[in-house]
Amino acid sequence: MPAFSCAFPGCRRDLLVIVLVVFVGIGLPIEASAPAYQSHGTEGSHLTNITNTKKAFPVLAVNYEHVRKPFEIALWILLALLMKLGFHLIPRLSAVVPESCLLIVVGLLVGGLIKVIGEEPPVLDSQLFFLCLLPPIILDAGYFLPIRPFTENVGTILVFAVIGTLWNAFFMGGLLYALCQIESVGLSGVDLLACLLFGSIVSAVDPVAVLAVFEEIHINELVHILVFGESLLNDAVTVVLYNLFEEFSKVGTVTVLDVFLGVVCFFVVSLGGVLVGAIYGFLAAFTSRFTSHTRVIEPLFVFLYSYMAYLSSEMFHLSGIMALIACGVVMRPYVEANISHKSYTTIKYFLKMWSSVSETLIFIFLGVSTVAGPHAWNWTFVITTVILCLVSRVLGVIGLTFIINKFRIVKLTKKDQFIVAYGGLRGAIAFSLGYLLSNSHQMRNLFLTAIITVIFFTVFVQGMTIRPLVELLAVKKKKESKPSINEEIHTEFLDHLLTGVEGVCGHYGHYHWKEKLNRFNKTYVKRWLIAGENFKEPELIAFYRKMELKQAIMMVESGQLPSVLPSTISMQNIQPRAIPRVSKKREEEIRRILRANLQNNKQKMRSRSYSRHTLFDADEEDNVSEVRLRKTKMEMERRVSVMERRVSVMEREGRCDGEGGSV
Amino acid sequence: MGSTNSTLSKIPNVEELMQETGFTPAHIVRLYDRFEALDKEKTGHLRPQDFGAINRLAMNPIGDRIIGAFFSPGQETVDFHSFVRILAHFRPADKKRPKDPSMPEPVNSRTSKLKYPPLVFSLISVAFQLYDQDKDGKISRAELLQVLRSMLEMQVTEEQLESIADRTIQEADLDKDDAISFEEFRKSLEKVNIDHKMSIRFLR
């Protein structure tokens, strides 16, 4: 519930419009009249050139050029964030329309306004996109990637990412070429390679769009990780295909050797990217080992090493996205064992913040670029592209699932397949790749238009309808789960059990290799990468310690343990030194406060997990209040009983201390 | 296949075994080969020492419990039939197998009072039995402590172990009897994707 309340019913809407108008109003005239001001700032001329006519000393002067670039950037970001704020003030809108759509519409409006004024609206510069806007989103995704579901499904994800994307690219490219051959379309100048290039650009599922839409529908973990993992891993395929066809379309011919080199290139790009990422990940982990005295800069190491991994792999034309993911995944367990709790929160906070801003900017710029960009419209081509996109995706998913299900234990149901197919959204990466095409391609404008149409279609139509469809088909939703020590222990037990059974059967399977990797990790890797004596700590203990720590913090925050500090080992072993006598009245008061807290949390609750909008899972907060209540009741009961025991002991000993009642 | 048939003919009552456990002839042959490999002295029975010779099992924290699971109480040896029967617990239930109504229900599709898919029931019940060494139907604090001690391999203090055990029981114990019953055990694992654990393809 927004904290903002208003007397009039339409007041919120008016405020929104005012805000928009104010900012656009301030921003645009300044942009438009920017060249009018010149930059001086050299008062030295007064001293050296006394023959100059004496001007009045400028008390107030405007020097816009000086701050122009940062000013514009800050203004755009501010605009984006205010828009985001605005959407959530309008109550029913954000429930029906996904944020990404709204942002694109805003972008369209802003672009339109700029054009009406007569200025050239800025286009989403590909360099800006790939080097500044995309990395935070990918790092956020990679760092917080849920490892267990990802590794359990990695085979399926790879099949969808690699083979699925290849199928899409060739199917679309081929059919579009066939279309262009038809005389009536009027596009006979387009050759096969150009079509294949177009196919490869438009075939890749986009991680930004997927994240933006899927975040709001809370689909079950399996489908989420399938679509999301696919969108991340298909980057390698896209990079290779794009570069391949770009090269070839300049030359014009393809030989078998080229195709072979293309395949080799794919492996180099993907594995190379992962390797670069892993190296930087280990470097980051190693560095974090020594940061115990300079906690403040710990988060910076994480960010910078990851960004370096991205840039380094982009430098070699390897897959930057895979490098970033690999870096995040590799460094996370070791870095988290080394850094302080506050640094962890900072990293989490900053990553979510930057990725949120990036995502917002990307969608707004998409809207603006649509208004700005050169367009060449051809009904047949564009409509066919959109239809083919859908058709090839559906066929691809169905066909691949049929094959994959033979190897999977948990089969993919028809509903899962539908969501995977329908959730294959295209986004800004496709646009940027299209924009990168050099102007020598005569079809560039047509391609751009078609790409934008596909993006709009997938984001608007598929994005808006996926939520009602999920409800309609009763697809399994995400199960809420709180961290449970039982789950940890029993899961580990089951792992050991199954490894043992594999041993009995003499089978070198899945569990055997996982066990080997764990052992290697424990004996060699952790020793080097984790500070102090912590490397010997088994994961179960680390997990337990974190749980207890969290609980201790919550209990102190709720004011239930004023002077008694819990030992770091266990809450049960609290030595009750100064026990306040908790009267019934006080107890009731405390209970009332806690219950109010609980209700408060419930109101703020939006249960998401890979969420852009909350730092802690709302379930965690809810669980915390619940646990707080339970723990506090227990504590109070225990204290009361201890008190009673003490009193009875004292009575027995015939003494009468005044100790029983310090409040 | 000729060699399969010849191996199968060496095993007494192999038809009954296949029906009961749902293993295919190929599986039975593989298991029989493994059984013979373990049975170094060719007695036709396996003793705990034979299991102990498996290196991977020796390194496993709960290896001794797993070995113990193969031997029913009081028995010193395990023959091929029991060997296969125990391993059948780790087989995913095959829904496509035609159910012959005259045959007794296969070992791992006990759809008794619990409305849980058979395959999950099997693995969880085996795990529960391995926790519950004294077979009283509950995991007591002492049993939990034992398991924790063997899994954590001397890297923690006794105090920490005790507090973890306390915490675990407190979390799972719904009827407040200071022990974890099978229902509570199953409930605490309901969020875990057990289906995925049954990935020992060898036994499919």
Side-chain angles (χ1 to χ4, degrees):
Chain A
M1 207 168 70
F4 179 77
S5 56
C6 216
F8 313 100
C11 158
R12 265 187 233 139
R13 197 153 307 171
D14 295 336
L15 192 70
L16 179 61
V17 172
I18 291 172
V19 159
L20 175 57
V21 165
V22 159
F23 271 93
V24 172
I26 292 179
L28 292 178
I30 292 184
E31 278 190 60
S33 53
Y37 292 93
Q38 291 169 339
S39 56
H40 287 295
T42 48
E43 258 103 51
S45 60
H46 281 265
L47 300 167
T48 51
N49 223 334
I50 14 176
T51 52
N52 262 356
T53 49
K54 185 165 196 286
K55 290 187 246 173
F57 186 79
V59 173
L60 196 63
V62 184
N63 188 352
Y64 183 63
E65 272 308 306
H66 190 54
V67 296
R68 180 172 184 193
K69 209 141 179 93
F71 195 89
E72 284 179 4
I73 295 175
L75 204 62
W76 274 107
I77 299 182
L78 203 54
L79 174 71
L81 297 175
L82 285 169
M83 288 301 108
K84 224 170 142 77
L85 258 187
F87 295 147
H88 293 289
L89 290 180
I90 303 177
R92 262 169 293 118
L93 195 61
S94 44
V96 175
V97 186
E99 218 173 76
S100 39
C101 304
L102 293 171
L103 288 169
I104 294 186
V105 169
V106 167
L108 286 172
L109 286 174
V110 172
L113 269 171
I114 298 182
K115 210 160 194 183
V116 157
I117 292 183
E119 274 285 309
E120 195 56 44
V123 191
L124 182 59
D125 178 31
S126 290
Q127 207 183 28
L128 175 72
F129 175 75
F130 279 115
L131 293 183
C132 298
L133 292 179
L134 190 61
I137 302 180
I138 305 294
L139 181 59
D140 179 38
Y143 195 79
F144 294 109
L145 192 70
I147 295 293
R148 216 167 238 267
F150 186 75
T151 47
E152 282 173 2
N153 293 297
V154 78
T156 316
I157 293 176
L158 278 174
V159 168
F160 276 128
V162 177
I163 303 183
T165 313
L166 282 173
W167 157 259
N168 279 344
F170 282 101
F171 184 75
M172 284 192 64
L175 283 186
L176 281 173
Y177 179 64
L179 179 77
C180 290
Q181 297 303 88
I182 302 175
E183 284 301 317
S184 55
V185 175
L187 286 172
S188 35
V190 187
D191 65 335
L192 180 64
L193 283 170
C195 280
L196 284 174
L197 177 60
F198 177 71
S200 67
I201 295 177
V202 119
S203 62
V205 177
D206 185 80
V208 180
V210 164
L211 265 175
V213 169
F214 269 57
E215 226 174 62
E216 302 178 356
I217 60 178
H218 314 309
I219 203 84
N220 67 62
E221 204 175 51
L222 174 64
V223 173
H224 189 288
I225 198 69
L226 283 179
V227 183
F228 183 53
E230 181 194 342
S231 69
L232 290 174
L233 294 184
N234 66 17
D235 182 59
V237 182
T238 313
V239 164
V240 170
L241 281 180
Y242 180 80
N243 287 328
L244 210 69
F245 288 129
E246 252 234 316
E247 283 295 314
F248 291 163
S249 58
K250 285 193 197 131
V251 177
T253 53
V254 181
T255 64
V256 180
L257 180 65
D258 293 326
V259 173
F260 177 69
L261 283 177
V263 174
V264 172
C265 184
F266 166 70
F267 283 105
V268 168
V269 161
S270 49
L271 294 175
V274 170
L275 189 67
V276 168
I279 293 176
Y280 275 101
F282 282 121
L283 276 176
F286 189 64
T287 313
S288 72
R289 187 180 162 185
F290 303 107
T291 55
S292 44
H293 298 294
T294 45
R295 294 277 184 203
V296 193
I297 55 174
E298 272 173 343
L300 273 177
F301 282 118
V302 171
F303 301 140
L304 288 173
Y305 275 112
S306 315
Y307 195 47
M308 291 284 283
Y310 181 77
L311 292 176
S312 310
S313 63
E314 283 290 319
M315 184 167 70
F316 293 110
H317 279 292
L318 304 173
S319 166
I321 291 184
M322 292 184 82
L324 214 43
I325 304 282
C327 187
V329 166
V330 163
M331 79 174 152
R332 188 175 179 198
Y334 309 108
V335 161
E336 287 196 350
N338 287 332
I339 60 178
S340 70
H341 190 68
K342 284 190 188 153
S343 299
Y344 173 69
T345 311
T346 310
I347 292 179
K348 200 170 177 181
Y349 209 139
F350 266 85
L351 280 179
K352 302 244 173 255
M353 185 179 76
W354 273 328
S355 58
S356 202
V357 171
S358 275
E359 191 183 283
T360 316
L361 277 175
I362 287 177
F363 283 114
I364 290 191
F365 268 113
L366 259 181
V368 174
S369 311
T370 312
V371 174
H375 289 299
W377 185 265
N378 182 314
W379 276 102
T380 333
F381 188 81
V382 173
I383 303 287
T384 324
T385 310
V386 174
I387 298 178
L388 276 183
C389 252
L390 273 178
V391 168
S392 77
R393 175 90 183 148
V394 170
L395 286 178
V397 168
I398 294 182
L400 287 174
T401 317
F402 180 71
I403 302 175
I404 291 173
N405 268 344
K406 296 205 199 303
F407 298 97
R408 280 182 68 94
I409 300 168
V410 180
K411 317 275 184 204
L412 293 175
T413 64
K414 290 243 177 344
K415 284 187 199 164
D416 294 335
Q417 289 176 42
F418 174 74
I419 300 291
V420 170
Y422 205 66
L425 308 172
R426 315 304 201 264
I429 292 187
F431 177 79
S432 305
L433 284 176
Y435 199 72
L436 268 178
L437 286 174
S438 60
N439 276 320
S440 58
H441 287 270
Q442 82 262 58
M443 293 291 118
R444 183 173 175 264
N445 293 341
L446 176 64
F447 286 170
L448 267 179
T449 314
I451 293 173
I452 289 188
T453 317
V454 171
I455 296 177
F456 270 46
F457 181 81
T458 56
V459 173
F460 278 95
V461 175
Q462 286 178 234
M464 274 202 275
T465 54
I466 200 167
R467 205 189 319 209
L469 276 173
V470 162
E471 303 283 336
L472 196 68
L473 293 175
V475 180
K476 261 188 292 180
K477 291 289 193 81
K478 172 151 184 46
K479 292 187 232 176
E480 320 296 347
S481 65
K482 19 186 177 182
S484 153
I485 189 120
N486 267 281
E487 272 181 34
E488 285 296 311
I489 296 181
H490 301 320
T491 322
E492 205 175 309
F493 187 80
L494 283 174
D495 279 345
H496 285 306
L497 174 59
L498 289 166
T499 316
V501 172
E502 272 192 4
V504 169
C505 297
H507 177 53
Y508 289 96
H510 189 61
Y511 283 95
H512 176 68
W513 295 117
K514 209 158 83 154
E515 179 73 24
K516 271 216 142 128
L517 187 67
N518 275 338
R519 215 166 275 276
F520 177 72
N521 191 18
K522 223 183 288 196
T523 30
Y524 298 109
V525 183
K526 278 192 177 171
R527 194 177 292 268
W528 282 103
L529 298 180
I530 297 187
E533 289 299 303
N534 283 342
F535 72 90
K536 287 198 216 116
E537 195 181 51
E539 276 178 29
L540 200 59
I541 300 292
F543 180 84
Y544 177 71
R545 204 164 39 84
K546 280 201 187 112
M547 260 177 96
E548 289 286 287
L549 192 65
K550 254 187 233 171
Q551 227 172 43
I553 293 178
M554 307 301 176
M555 280 194 77
V556 171
E557 273 181 3
S558 73
Q560 292 319 300
L561 295 177
S563 51
V564 181
L565 277 180
S567 75
T568 48
I569 293 181
S570 164
M571 301 298 293
Q572 328 287 75
N573 301 340
I574 297 174
Q575 297 306 322
R577 238 167 285 133
I579 313 169
R581 180 199 298 250
V582 182
S583 63
K584 283 279 173 212
K585 194 169 64 113
R586 183 98 184 278
E587 213 183 278
E588 267 314 304
E589 205 183 286
I590 294 172
R591 286 211 185 140
R592 211 177 10 96
I593 296 174
L594 281 179
R595 225 168 284 135
N597 254 348
L598 191 71
Q599 282 171 0
N600 235 354
N601 282 339
K602 278 215 168 99
Q603 280 173 351
K604 288 190 237 162
M605 176 159 94
R606 283 195 287 166
S607 57
R608 293 163 185 202
S609 82
Y610 325 121
S611 166
R612 206 47 69 64
H613 309 288
T614 48
L615 270 188
F616 302 104
D617 292 341
D619 324 314
E620 212 174 275
E621 285 181 28
D622 204 22
N623 178 37
V624 155
S625 309
E626 201 183 289
V627 164
R628 253 189 257 170
L629 245 180
R630 202 169 15 121
K631 270 267 171 181
T632 327
K633 275 195 206 144
M634 233 185 57
E635 265 306 304
M636 289 193 283
E637 282 164 21
R638 218 169 45 78
R639 275 185 219 167
V640 166
S641 69
V642 166
M643 284 278 313
E644 282 170 357
R645 250 184 288 136
R646 269 181 153 214
V647 166
S648 66
V649 163
M650 278 183 250
E651 278 176 357
R652 243 189 294 135
E653 291 181 1
R655 280 192 293 144
C656 207
D657 283 1
E659 257 211 283
S662 56
V663 178
Chain B
M1 284 175 283
S3 62
T4 321
N5 283 330
S6 64
T7 323
L8 279 178
S9 56
K10 275 193 261 172
I11 309 167
N13 297 335
V14 69
E15 286 298 323
E16 188 191 316
L17 195 61
M18 285 199 290
Q19 279 289 359
E20 208 184 307
T21 59
F23 278 124
T24 64
H27 283 139
I28 301 277
V29 170
R30 258 188 290 188
L31 289 174
Y32 191 72
D33 289 336
R34 180 64 180 170
F35 187 84
E36 297 217 302
L38 289 174
D39 181 17
K40 299 207 174 56
E41 296 175 13
K42 303 282 171 251
T43 57
H45 293 272
L46 288 179
R47 287 158 304 133
Q49 300 92 297
D50 296 320
F51 282 103
I54 308 174
N55 274 336
R56 289 156 62 184
L57 219 48
M59 281 200 300
N60 197 314
I62 54 170
D64 47 349
R65 284 176 192 249
I66 298 175
I67 298 175
F70 279 91
F71 297 89
S72 346
Q75 277 200 320
E76 292 279 308
T77 60
V78 67
D79 65 349
F80 184 63
H81 282 249
S82 324
F83 183 71
V84 172
R85 264 192 223 110
I86 305 274
L87 283 179
H89 281 279
F90 300 98
R91 249 196 111 236
D94 189 1
K95 299 183 194 97
K96 294 205 206 90
R97 236 182 314 129
K99 278 218 156 85
D100 189 347
S102 62
M103 281 285 137
E105 284 269 50
V107 161
N108 61 346
S109 57
R110 256 177 263 128
T111 46
S112 54
K113 37 199 163 131
L114 296 162
K115 296 185 216 79
Y116 223 70
L119 93 94
V120 183
F121 187 12
S122 227
L123 184 59
I124 294 186
S125 65
V126 170
F128 187 79
Q129 281 166 37
L130 285 185
Y131 265 106
D132 183 22
Q133 293 286 62
D134 58 4
K135 308 269 178 271
D136 61 353
K138 290 186 187 300
I139 305 176
S140 69
R141 195 164 167 280
E143 288 168 343
L144 189 61
L145 262 177
Q146 267 184 331
V147 170
L148 282 174
R149 218 172 276 132
S150 49
M151 282 209 298
L152 294 172
E153 292 172 8
M154 312 297 174
Q155 284 161 359
V156 294
T157 63
E158 197 54 41
E159 213 179 24
Q160 274 181 316
L161 275 179
E162 302 222 349
S163 29
I164 295 181
D166 283 333
R167 182 54 189 269
T168 312
I169 295 193
Q170 187 195 53
E171 218 183 56
D173 195 13
L174 301 166
D175 54 7
K176 303 278 172 263
D177 58 355
D178 210 29
I180 306 181
S181 70
F182 182 67
E183 257 311 302
E184 291 159 0
F185 184 72
R186 195 180 59 76
K187 211 167 188 332
S188 70
L189 279 176
E190 64 186 358
K191 303 274 168 58
V192 174
N193 196 351
I194 304 272
D195 307 344
H196 241 287
K197 301 233 162 267
M198 304 297 283
S199 59
I200 302 185
R201 299 180 195 283
F202 192 77
L203 299 173
R204 269 173 88 205

